[in-house]
Amino acid sequence: MDLHDFYYDLPEELIAQDPLSDRSSSRLMVLNKETGEVTHRIFKDIIEYLNPGDCLVINDTKVIPARLIGEKVGTGATIEVLLLKRMEDMNDTWEALVKPGKKCRPGARISFGEGKLIGEIIDVVEDGNRIIKFEYEGIFEEILDELGQMPLPPYIKHKLEDKDRYQTVYAKHEGSAAAPTAGLHFTNELLKQIEDKGIKIARVTLHVGLGTFRPVKVENILEHHMHSEFYMVTEETAEIINNARKNGNRVIAVGTTSTRTLESAANEDGTLTAKSGWTDIFIYPGYKFKIIDALITNFHLPESTLVMLVSAFAGRENVLNAYETAVQEKYRFFSFGDAMFIQ
C-alpha cells in the first residue's frame, strides 16, 4: 500500500484557523460506509443518529501547555521545547522535541521564565528527540501552566485567544501534546441531551503524542512506525461497552484516539478488558475492527495515519470521495474544522 494512495488535494484556505464560537454548530458530514452515500447536517444533529442503548466513547485526556520557549544557559540562544511524554517512573523527566536540536546536546541547560524552570538535556533518542530533566521549586503543573503555551499544530497560524477552546469540555487527565479534536464539537448541553436520550457515555484516556506532529515519510506505509502513547481503560468503561455489545447496541468512538484505545484493549472475541499501558497500534486498510461500529471524526491531513485509519473503517474510495465532496462544499478541515459521522 503506497503513501500516495491516501493523498487528496486540499486548498489551503479550507484549513480552519480558528474554532467556531459555538462548538456544536460546525458542519457534519454523515457517511454511510456500506454505500458511500453522504448527507450534510450540523454537528448538533448527531443526536438524531444515536439510538437509546448505544454507547458513545470519549477520550478524556487533557492537553498540557506543552510548548516552552527558553534560553540556553551560557549563550542566551532561543530554544523551543515541545513536551511529548513524561518518562515512566521519572516524574521530572520528559521526552521532547527541541529546536534547534544542534544547540542542545547532552549536558546543555535551558532556562525558562528567568530560571523558574531549568531543563537539562540528558540524552538523545529516536528521531533526534531529547530526554530532558527539569529542576524547579513548587508544583511542576502550575509552573507549566504559567510558562507554557498550547502546542497548536503547525498548520494553525493564528494565535488562540482562549486556550480552553483546544480542550474538550470533558478533558480530565493531563498528558496530551495535542487535542483529541473530534471531541471539540461537543458542548455540555449536547452531552446531557445525548444521555437523556438513553445513550451511555463511556470514558477512555489516551494521551496524544508525537504521531500527531510527524508525517509518514516512507512510500510503503507498512514500513511506518507509530510512536507509542499511554492509554487507560477502566473496569467501569469496559463493563459499559461490553454490556452495550452484549445487548446488540452500537459502540460509537469519538475520534481516532478513542478508536485506537478501544482496539488496543480489545480481545479477539470483541470483548473489552480494563487495562492501561502503551500502544503503538497502526490501523490501515485490511484491519478488522473488534469493537467499534461507528465513528465520529474530523477531516484529516492528506497521507496521514489518521486518513489511513478512517479508510480502514469506511473504505478508502468512500473516504476519498467524501473528502472530495467536502472540498467542493467548502467544509472546514483539520483540528478546528468540521466533523464526519461514519456509520
Side-chain angles (χ1 to χ4, degrees), residues 236-252:
E236 182 188 9
T237 289
E239 191 179 335
I240 292 169
I241 291 170
N242 288 336
N243 283 340
R245 290 181 60 79
K246 194 165 66 182
N247 296 329
N249 296 310
R250 296 179 305 168
V251 175
I252 298 151

Side-chain angles (χ1 to χ4, degrees), residues 217-232:
K217 292 178 177 170
V218 288
E219 192 55 43
N220 176 0
I221 68 163
L222 305 185
E223 295 169 7
H224 178 69
H225 171 65
M226 296 282 281
H227 287 264
S228 62
E229 296 165 314
F230 182 79
Y231 76 95
M232 187 167 55

Side-chain angles (χ1 to χ4, degrees), residues 3 28 43 75 83 91 94 129 135 147 151 157 160 182 192 203 227 246-247 267 271 281 295 318 326:
L3 184 59
L28 176 70
F43 188 80
T75 69
L83 302 180
N91 263 352
W94 289 73
N129 292 347
E135 303 161 16
L147 301 180
K157 314 291 187 207
L160 186 61
K192 185 175 187 312
R203 291 169 171 258
H227 287 264
K246 194 165 66 182
N247 296 329
N267 301 311
T271 57
I281 189 171
L295 172 64
N318 286 344

Side-chain angles (χ1 to χ4, degrees), residues 79-111:
I79 306 291
E80 180 179 334
V81 171
L82 178 63
L83 302 180
L84 296 169
K85 62 184 181 192
R86 198 189 290 257
M87 304 303 288
E88 285 180 272
D89 308 321
M90 300 167 74
N91 263 352
D92 296 330
T93 307
W94 289 73
E95 181 177 343
L97 278 172
V98 176
K99 291 195 294 193
K102 63 180 182 294
K103 293 188 175 173
C104 290
R105 297 189 170 90
R109 290 167 66 81
I110 308 161
S111 170

